Amino acid sequence: MLIDLMNERGLSEDAQSVLEAVYLAGGRPIIADQIFDRMFDHDPDGGPPPVRMYAELNAALAELDTALLGTGLAIVRQGRRDGWRLVITPGGGAYVVDRAA
């Protein structure tokens, strides 16, 4: 199902990595460092500088916000320190919420 969704929605590699990371967390929050491990696992240097890592994460989350519309899934931010988690949404809409704001 997840692979079908990624292929159907034409997600970028970063967005696929973020979606896989939150999916594998099984509904529990996952922190940015764990997502970065998935996003940059192919990079022998461990990825770009932290500022760029966060920029790429935010771009992937924005892409997923749009791509998940109508799927019944959403990536929800639990707060600054708690990270993000994948949830099933009522009504099938997707949204990314920053609960720390």
Side-chain angles (χ1 to χ4, degrees):
M1 175 189 141
L2 189 64
I3 292 173
D4 293 336
L5 175 67
M6 291 188 292
N7 290 333
E8 177 186 307
R9 301 293 169 136
L11 297 177
S12 68
E13 285 185 34
D14 284 346
Q16 288 182 29
S17 294
V18 172
L19 184 56
E20 289 170 355
V22 296
Y23 176 80
L24 291 172
R28 293 178 310 278
I30 182 170
I31 61 172
D33 285 341
Q34 293 169 301
I35 296 173
F36 295 151
D37 287 346
R38 188 109 186 144
M39 289 175 72
F40 303 108
D41 64 350
H42 61 281
D43 189 329
D45 296 325
V51 171
R52 184 162 166 219
M53 284 183 174
Y54 279 99
E56 292 183 25
L57 173 58
N58 287 330
L61 288 168
E63 178 182 346
L64 287 166
D65 186 29
T66 301
L68 293 177
L69 284 173
T71 66
L73 300 173
I75 297 175
V76 178
R77 183 151 187 202
Q78 291 300 117
R80 281 190 83 138
R81 293 187 176 95
D82 295 330
W84 296 265
R85 67 186 183 99
L86 187 66
V87 297
I88 298 173
T89 61
Y95 54 94
V96 177
V97 177
D98 185 348
R99 297 202 189 278

